[in-house]
Amino acid sequence: MPTLRKGSVKTIRKLGPDELDMTVAAGFEFFKEGQIPGGFVPEIFLSNWKSLISNGKGVILAMFEDEKYVGALGAILAPDLNNGHIVAIECFWYVLPEHRGGGIQLLAEFELWAKAAGAVRIAMTHLVKLQPEKLGK
């Protein structure tokens, strides 16, 4: 897959369905840090994202520092239930704590992907347990 953006150290690119295993450890960390109820089931996560990426309805944008996976943003395309317009919906956005600071680049790449995919707007989630001092309630 081609690189979308490359800086001096950070690279962001789309993951293919066969590359998703690298995201599993961070999935557990995301659920733990965010105190998200329900737990993380890697088999379900991998199956769902492989299908979404394969059928063009989803994307996982991964960030690498010095070629090491350090975080990702996953999103899907779906019709707005009120008017049918295509909306890009962020499903997760997580950067390993020791690599934070550049994760905003994932958001910028998500916005570019959404626009290119024909989305008329994007939707973001906010988890109160993650960065409450920055995002508020």
Side-chain angles (χ1 to χ4, degrees):
M1 297 233 138
T3 297
L4 298 177
R5 293 267 185 258
K6 185 170 185 170
S8 59
V9 179
K10 291 184 181 73
T11 301
I12 297 174
R13 67 176 177 81
K14 294 178 186 178
L15 292 183
D18 57 335
E19 298 179 286
L20 301 180
D21 286 345
M22 72 177 71
T23 65
V24 169
F28 282 109
E29 292 300 316
F30 176 67
F31 270 72
K32 181 180 174 185
E33 185 177 345
Q35 300 174 32
I36 302 167
F40 178 71
V41 181
E43 297 80 15
I44 301 295
F45 174 87
L46 293 170
S47 175
N48 286 333
W49 281 103
K50 284 178 183 179
S51 176
L52 288 164
I53 291 168
S54 295
N55 71 24
K57 298 295 182 187
V59 68
I60 293 182
L61 300 166
M63 184 166 62
F64 299 84
E65 283 191 17
D66 298 322
E67 300 182 26
K68 177 186 173 195
Y69 172 84
V70 298
L73 187 152
I76 61 170
L77 295 171
D80 183 301
L81 297 175
N82 300 302
N83 57 31
H85 297 160
I86 299 300
V87 179
I89 305 164
E90 173 257 338
C91 298
F92 68 87
W93 179 15
Y94 187 75
V95 176
L96 297 173
E98 61 273 21
H99 296 278
R100 291 188 182 152
I104 198 75
Q105 294 171 343
L106 287 167
L107 176 60
E109 218 48 66
F110 167 52
E111 291 172 338
L112 291 172
W113 173 80
K115 185 175 183 178
V120 298
R121 66 183 167 86
I122 63 171
M124 302 289 294
T125 59
H126 165 59
L127 301 171
V128 175
K129 301 286 185 182
L130 293 173
Q131 298 189 6
E133 68 285 351
K134 289 185 179 179
L135 299 175
K137 290 186 179 180

